[in-house]
């Protein structure tokens, strides 16, 4: 019975036409009321950026031609270590308990092993108990809590003055500096994903405290 359900799951690489459906499925899954950390981090650039940099580790699962789930990952090489890193895993509520998550994870890990990975990493919102249980069942362990710190640059004694100086310099030059969206390097994805969502929240916290 279970093997037939697993066989019905078709896994393939993410294609350009999948980007919007995958993004919207993530919106449905990573909601602010359930998982505020994941909600702050999830945006369309998560899908587009990884599709551009690591397409071989961006997979979708289909059942009967419908999007059943997705997985987005990357490879990180540090010195002599090569890490496989699963950044996002989502399964449509319509296709729960059909082996979708298992097949996505098994497929992406097999690809990463081919490319030299000997160690796997994954992280999730601490409130996402279902994800923690799932990855524990898959063999992930050694859980560590990670503390993120933030700083309001405008209110910092040194950096605040630097910001004012740059603003005044731009006004004197008659323009405001704009910086295009940059392509993220794989090694920077972890920190950038985590820190993007802290800016607005930390500003709100600072204002409420002061």
């Amino acid at each position: 019975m279970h093997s037939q359900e697993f066989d019905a799951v078709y896994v393939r690489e993410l294609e350009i036409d999948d980007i919007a459906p995958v993004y919207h499925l993530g919106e449905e899954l990573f909601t602010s009321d359930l998982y505020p950390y994941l909600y702050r981090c999830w945006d369309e650039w998560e899908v587009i950026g990884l599709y551009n940099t690591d397409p071989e580790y961006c997979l979708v699962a289909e059942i009967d031609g419908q999007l059943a789930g997705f997985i987005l990952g990357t490879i990180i090489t540090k010195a002599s270590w090569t890490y496989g890193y699963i950044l996002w895993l989502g399964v449509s509520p319509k296709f729960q308990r059909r082996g979708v998550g298992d097949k996505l994870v098994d497929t992406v890990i097999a690809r990463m092993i081919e490319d030299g990975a000997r160690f796997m990493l994954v992280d999730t919102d601490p409130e996402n108990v279902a994800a923690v249980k799932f990855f524990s069942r898959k063999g992930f362990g050694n859980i560590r809590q990670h503390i993120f710190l933030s700083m309001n640059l405008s209110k910092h004694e040194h950096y605040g003055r630097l910001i004012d100086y740059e603003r005044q310099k731009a006004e004197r030059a008659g323009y405001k500096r704009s910086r295009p969206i940059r392509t993220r390097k794989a090694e920077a994805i972890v920190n950038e994903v985590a820190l993007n969502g802290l800016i607005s929240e930390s500003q709100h916290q600072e204002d409420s405290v002061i």
Side-chain angles (χ1 to χ4, degrees):
M1 182 70 176
H2 288 290
S3 61
Q4 292 178 347
E5 291 178 350
F6 288 2
D7 291 339
V9 181
Y10 172 61
V11 173
R12 59 173 175 80
E13 285 191 12
L14 180 81
E15 298 175 355
I16 193 165
D17 290 339
D18 299 313
I19 290 175
V22 164
Y23 167 65
H24 291 304
L25 177 56
E27 276 192 314
E28 179 184 347
L29 297 173
F30 312 129
T31 60
S32 59
D33 56 334
L34 290 177
Y35 311 118
Y37 169 73
L38 295 182
Y39 175 77
R40 289 196 301 269
C41 297
W42 179 255
D43 59 38
E44 63 271 24
W45 295 106
E46 286 300 293
V47 188
I48 295 171
L50 288 165
Y51 170 76
N52 285 330
T53 60
D54 297 274
E56 64 271 39
Y57 312 125
C58 297
L59 310 176
V60 295
E62 292 180 339
I63 294 179
D64 297 327
Q66 300 181 64
L67 177 64
F70 64 88
I71 191 167
L72 308 176
T74 187
I75 285 279
I76 301 172
T77 301
K78 298 286 187 182
S80 60
W81 284 91
T82 299
Y83 301 84
Y85 184 26
I86 296 173
L87 289 98
W88 298 99
L89 173 66
V91 177
S92 169
K94 295 189 299 183
F95 298 107
Q96 297 285 341
R97 301 186 183 280
R98 298 283 297 272
V100 175
D102 283 282
K103 193 154 189 178
L104 284 167
V105 169
D106 290 344
T107 304
V108 83
I109 290 179
R111 288 189 170 205
M112 290 176 172
I113 288 173
E114 278 187 38
D115 292 337
R118 295 297 179 265
F119 198 89
M120 288 298 302
L121 298 171
V122 67
D123 66 316
T124 187
D125 190 295
E127 298 300 318
N128 195 348
V129 177
V132 174
K133 288 183 177 179
F134 170 80
F135 283 110
S136 296
R137 178 173 64 79
K138 296 298 292 181
F140 289 80
N142 197 27
I143 295 174
R144 292 288 184 272
Q145 296 288 341
H146 192 87
I147 297 174
F148 292 100
L149 304 175
S150 62
M151 174 174 60
N152 187 329
L153 293 173
S154 298
K155 295 186 177 183
H156 190 280
E157 180 180 355
H158 172 71
Y159 297 119
R161 291 199 302 270
L162 187 59
I163 288 173
D164 289 338
Y165 170 75
E166 290 294 336
R167 185 184 299 116
Q168 292 168 12
K169 185 170 68 173
E171 290 173 353
R172 287 195 301 270
Y175 70 94
K176 289 188 176 180
R177 182 180 182 185
S178 61
R179 181 173 297 183
I181 297 174
R182 65 185 179 87
T183 301
R184 285 179 285 191
K185 296 180 180 178
E187 290 84 357
I189 287 176
V190 181
N191 290 332
E192 190 166 347
V193 167
L195 294 177
N196 278 344
L198 288 173
I199 298 172
S200 59
E201 183 186 51
S202 62
Q203 184 174 358
H204 173 73
Q205 291 174 342
E206 284 277 341
D207 292 342
S208 63
V209 171
I210 294 174

